[in-house]
Amino acid sequence: MVLNDLGRKINGAIQSMSKANVIDEKVVDDMLKEIVRALMESDINIKLIQNLRNNVKASVNLDENTGAVNKKRNIQKAVMDELTRLVDPGVEAWKPKKGKSNVIMFVGLQGSGKTTTCTKLAAFYQRKNFKTCLVCTDTYTETDPVQLAHEGVSNFRKENFDIIIVDTSGRHKQEQELFDEMQQISLAINPDSTIFVMDGTIGQAADGQARAFKEAANVGSIIVTKMDGHAKGGGAISAVAATRCPIIFIGTGEHMHDLEPFAPGPFISKMMGMGDISGLMET
Amino acid sequence: LLSFFKSMTGQKELTDENLEPVMNKMKEHLVNKNVAANIAQHLCDSIAKGLVGQTLGSFKSIQSHVKQSMELALKRILTPKTSVDLLRDIAQAQAEKRPYTIVFIGVNGVGKSTNLSKTAFWLLQNNLKILIAACDTFRSGAVEQLRVHVRNLKALEQNAVVDLYEKGYGKDSAAIAKEAISSAKITGHDVVLIDTAGRMQDNDPLMRALAKLVTVNNPDKIIFVGEALVGNEAVDQLTKFNAALKDFSGLANPRHIDGMILTKFDTIDDKVGAALSMTYTTGQPILFVGTGQTYTDLKNMKVSHVVASLLKD
Ligand SMILES: Nc1nc2c(ncn2[C@@H]2O[C@H](COP(=O)(O)OP(=O)(O)OP(=O)(O)O)[C@@H](O)[C@H]2O)c(=O)[nH]1
Ligand SMILES: Nc1nc2c(ncn2[C@@H]2O[C@H](COP(=O)(O)OP(=O)(O)OP(=O)(O)O)[C@@H](O)[C@H]2O)c(=O)[nH]1
Ligand SMILES: [Mg+2]
Ligand SMILES: [Mg+2]
């Protein structure tokens, strides 16, 4: 996956730092410069990048008389902590419970991949032997989506479906009417979980949109789509900090099975090729 | 002595050293506006290079001097270098008694079909007869989506001539486009708008299929549809779409992207950097910006407005 590309660059920056005999301000600044560039090229939110830079700088005490090896270890840890904070909101993702109807509502910007991902997720739960169904509220017609959502969910609840997935139309924070409609749908169906779908190619507009969706629709988790291409996914990653919600899946293609579970911890260690760094740090 | 004199009179010579912090700030500012990081870097580097050695008058801060140079550079990049007058080109084709053909290409979900339909609406208002070729034969609902647009457009305009050429799913899109164009010649449609399936720029088979569609049909305009939401990926998308048109065409004089439509411009506030990334990468003009989900939400881009948004604090 291309997120590895970001990992490789950050790894490279840390390695260059570790090769230095003396750890002074210039060495740290050079490393941070490289890390910052890699993050910028990956669409990570600029304020998060600035915070990361300041935090890493603040956490290393260059005057301290601890020797280069310890300093290197401290710097590496500071970088890792900051990166982990970017991807891991520290909350457990919602999981459906057997023996009841679990209602999942999808929200997101226009064309982000909601409808496609709804069907992928339905297929995912079906494979896990949940009785699964979809409610479409995005029609070409004049039908009221709030009413459609309500009727669909009530009917399927009566029929004892385990997983009821509700698709909604694309919307954006600048259009209040669309946000009002989303809130009404949410009120009408009272979802157990609301999933925010984000396009992996989104840039610096991600933070503002994510905050607005979180506030209006009580987003619980994030799915990042279109990660089969060259996308770095950093805009979507920035939405984690903006919403304090975890990424639970990534979409890796247009087909039904192109959906991969995602967990922050394993992701970070894989991305950073942790084994390599720790090996290097011991010398 | 000279530098002492300069500092006495408040004059200042610009050097790499005193420019660096200002250029770093400028770069982060542009990145925050969603300009691709590499492009922001190139721009800042080239502006700094041009400024080193210049002397500033007493009341001018380095910052405002840099901003002024940046404004000029942005304006230059964003101002179209080729004609953006589609109607004139279409009139030319009419005189040659042949349909004018436009193909809409781009990655998934950016707004190709919607903005094709908005373009159709605009052309209908200019009394042109439109044929839409449904060449996304892959994504579920793609053909039905266009059918609904055609129905809507017919209902909006009394004497509108707008029709759909479709052959369902799973067929070769290059062949359908060809049939549509031949059919337009017979039926007297002025413009053929060719919808294509969204595809990732790294998807080799799909990129080859697109190159084939272009080679077989040699459309008058190849319009790349990109969304204003896209970040650094804008550069890679455009570079690889152009590369595919070139490398997979088998032609001595291959085609390239002729212009862009920048969609979802209503979703980004002042983070308009994608406009810059796209024009910088291709050197081609943004023909329209998409500003919403209805037929009238297709506008000409105001360069001055984009420049102002990019520089705004
Ligand atoms: N390559 C790739 N394409 C995807 C992925 N997920 C969705 N798509 C494509 O993205 C486009 C838009 O997907 P939709 O599911 O229609 O998006 P949506 O959010 O429902 O769109 P609206 O309802 O119009 O807001 C389609 O062409 C999908 O096939 C993915 O993970 N990878
Ligand atoms: N806010 C806003 N939404 C837009 C704009 N243009 C298109 N959209 C929406 O974006 C979504 C995707 O549009 P489509 O036209 O289906 O995109 P596409 O590129 O044809 O998608 P695929 O064929 O699946 O690759 C739809 O919900 C459109 O209404 C725009 O300018 N502004
Ligand atoms: Mg949809
Ligand atoms: Mg389409």
Side-chain angles (χ1 to χ4, degrees):
Chain A
M1 202 212 321
V2 180
L3 280 161
N4 292 335
D5 197 35
L6 172 62
R8 192 174 45 74
K9 285 183 187 158
I10 291 176
N11 227 329
I14 294 178
Q15 285 190 24
S16 305
M17 183 270 298
S18 340
K19 281 197 194 104
N21 291 324
V22 184
I23 300 294
D24 55 15
E25 186 160 2
K26 182 169 181 317
V27 170
V28 175
D29 282 346
D30 285 349
M31 176 198 71
L32 279 172
K33 217 176 189 171
E34 261 184 74
I35 292 179
V36 162
R37 183 187 311 151
L39 293 170
M40 278 185 181
E41 287 170 2
S42 310
D43 294 314
I44 301 279
N45 179 263
I46 190 81
K47 299 226 168 54
L48 294 175
I49 298 177
Q50 287 161 346
N51 288 344
L52 183 146
R53 179 170 57 199
N54 296 340
N55 292 349
V56 171
K57 270 204 104 156
S59 69
V60 293
N61 185 351
L62 291 171
D63 303 331
E64 204 180 13
N65 201 8
T66 51
V69 174
N70 269 327
K71 280 190 186 122
K72 286 174 192 171
R73 191 169 289 143
N74 291 344
I75 294 169
Q76 185 212 341
K77 188 178 176 304
V79 173
M80 293 300 291
D81 287 350
E82 287 298 316
L83 288 174
T84 308
R85 278 234 308 256
L86 271 185
V87 193
D88 192 351
V91 291
E92 277 289 308
W94 173 87
K95 291 220 164 50
K97 293 183 188 68
K98 287 245 159 128
K100 66 163 273 201
S101 289
N102 297 274
V103 178
I104 305 170
M105 175 170 164
F106 271 65
V107 298
L109 290 162
Q110 290 90 348
S112 55
K114 294 175 295 301
T115 304
T116 309
T117 311
C118 278
T119 61
K120 288 180 183 176
L121 191 68
F124 172 86
Y125 282 127
Q126 211 162 28
R127 285 198 298 278
K128 304 213 155 217
N129 292 320
F130 285 95
K131 190 179 165 195
T132 305
C133 63
L134 286 162
V135 179
C136 166
T137 67
D138 183 13
T139 64
Y140 295 124
T141 60
E142 295 290 301
T143 326
D144 176 20
V146 181
Q147 197 185 335
L148 255 180
H150 181 70
E151 276 172 23
V153 169
S154 335
N155 286 350
F156 285 133
R157 270 189 204 277
K158 274 181 219 140
E159 292 169 36
N160 291 321
F161 276 88
D162 303 313
I163 302 278
I164 304 172
I165 296 174
V166 182
D167 186 22
T168 63
S169 18
R171 61 196 83 234
H172 54 291
K173 74 178 168 87
Q174 288 83 356
E175 213 165 315
Q176 188 58 43
E177 244 177 74
L178 294 179
F179 261 51
D180 290 346
E181 179 192 272
M182 171 172 68
Q183 287 178 311
Q184 285 163 22
I185 295 175
S186 184
L187 274 175
I189 62 176
N190 190 23
D192 296 282
S193 177
T194 298
I195 294 178
F196 181 42
V197 178
M198 286 213 109
D199 186 324
T201 68
I202 193 170
Q204 295 290 330
D207 178 81
Q209 292 291 352
R211 280 175 203 282
F213 271 91
K214 168 77 184 180
E215 193 168 310
N218 189 26
V219 169
S221 44
I222 298 169
I223 296 181
V224 185
T225 61
K226 309 183 195 177
M227 291 302 286
D228 44 324
H230 180 262
K232 308 277 201 305
I237 287 177
S238 305
V240 171
T243 60
R244 314 303 314 159
C245 289
I247 297 170
I248 52 171
F249 286 99
I250 55 175
T252 55
E254 296 191 70
H255 295 282
M256 189 70 94
H257 295 295
D258 297 331
L259 187 72
E260 294 175 13
F262 181 94
F267 166 74
I268 284 281
S269 30
K270 199 174 127 204
M271 170 172 115
M272 298 300 296
M274 283 244 266
D276 300 338
I277 300 184
S278 37
L280 195 109
M281 294 308 288
E282 266 149 40
T283 56
Chain B
L1 188 71
L2 189 66
S3 74
F4 173 74
F5 178 70
K6 274 180 186 161
S7 70
M8 281 297 285
T9 55
Q11 282 191 321
K12 199 186 272 170
E13 184 174 318
L14 294 176
T15 62
D16 280 326
E17 287 69 38
N18 60 23
L19 277 167
E20 196 190 275
V22 182
M23 295 323 299
N24 282 344
K25 275 229 174 72
M26 180 53 96
K27 183 190 169 188
E28 289 188 12
H29 174 85
L30 290 177
V31 167
N32 183 36
K33 296 285 179 171
N34 202 32
V35 175
N38 279 336
I39 293 177
Q41 183 73 55
H42 283 307
L43 257 175
C44 288
D45 288 350
S46 82
I47 280 175
K49 215 169 143 197
L51 290 180
V52 166
Q54 286 189 17
T55 314
L56 286 192
S58 34
F59 294 111
K60 212 153 170 199
S61 74
I62 299 186
Q63 217 164 351
S64 71
H65 197 63
V66 164
K67 201 167 166 180
Q68 225 170 50
S69 311
M70 185 57 81
E71 188 176 346
L72 283 176
L74 296 175
K75 211 173 265 168
R76 187 170 42 75
I77 297 164
L78 286 161
T79 302
K81 284 151 207 74
T82 55
S83 159
V84 292
D85 191 351
L86 271 181
L87 294 176
R88 197 197 59 195
D89 295 354
I90 293 169
Q92 178 67 35
Q94 278 178 315
E96 293 164 15
K97 302 209 173 328
R98 62 178 185 87
Y100 188 85
T101 53
I102 309 177
V103 59
F104 294 75
I105 65 176
V107 301
N108 303 89
V110 289
K112 292 175 295 301
S113 310
T114 306
N115 289 279
L116 174 149
S117 306
K118 295 181 201 171
T119 306
F121 176 75
W122 171 66
L123 294 172
L124 286 171
Q125 299 217 301
N126 285 280
N127 297 316
L128 294 160
K129 302 187 186 72
I130 310 299
L131 185 66
I132 296 177
C135 296
D136 179 352
T137 61
F138 174 71
R139 205 204 76 217
S140 321
V143 178
E144 288 78 4
Q145 185 181 0
L146 292 176
R147 199 178 292 144
V148 172
H149 280 303
V150 166
R151 201 203 303 138
N152 291 347
L153 288 168
K154 277 192 168 138
L156 276 173
E157 296 281 312
Q158 276 269 303
N159 301 312
V161 178
V162 49
D163 297 292
L164 183 66
Y165 190 92
E166 59 132 318
K167 280 283 175 292
Y169 294 93
K171 307 264 169 48
D172 174 30
S173 53
I176 298 180
K178 196 168 177 58
E179 288 169 30
I181 296 168
S182 319
S183 138
K185 269 187 201 134
I186 299 163
T187 48
H189 289 89
D190 302 305
V191 184
V192 182
L193 302 176
I194 303 166
D195 188 34
T196 65
R199 67 203 74 216
M200 290 286 153
Q201 69 270 25
D202 289 307
N203 190 320
D204 208 62
L206 294 184
M207 294 306 286
R208 281 176 192 275
L210 181 68
K212 180 181 164 198
L213 185 148
V214 166
T215 305
V216 168
N217 294 291
N218 198 26
D220 290 287
K221 273 259 187 267
I222 302 174
I223 296 185
F224 181 87
V225 183
E227 55 177 26
L229 288 161
V230 69
N232 283 273
E233 271 296 280
V235 178
D236 196 66
Q237 288 176 3
L238 284 160
T239 311
K240 289 191 177 139
F241 268 76
N242 261 334
L245 292 180
K246 180 159 164 275
D247 299 343
F248 300 149
S249 72
L251 298 177
N253 291 313
R255 298 289 305 269
H256 55 72
I257 291 163
D258 299 308
M260 283 89 67
I261 295 183
L262 186 62
T263 64
K264 307 184 192 176
F265 208 67
D266 50 326
T267 69
I268 48 149
D269 298 327
D270 62 5
K271 296 192 190 295
V272 297
L276 188 74
S277 302
M278 291 188 194
T279 42
Y280 187 94
T281 305
T282 59
Q284 297 297 332
I286 290 173
L287 300 170
F288 298 107
V289 289
T291 57
Q293 297 179 269
T294 65
Y295 294 121
T296 51
D297 295 323
L298 190 69
K299 307 276 192 276
N300 290 112
M301 189 181 79
K302 282 206 188 70
V303 172
S304 57
H305 170 256
V306 173
V307 171
S309 297
L310 283 170
L311 290 174
K312 203 176 96 195
D313 283 328

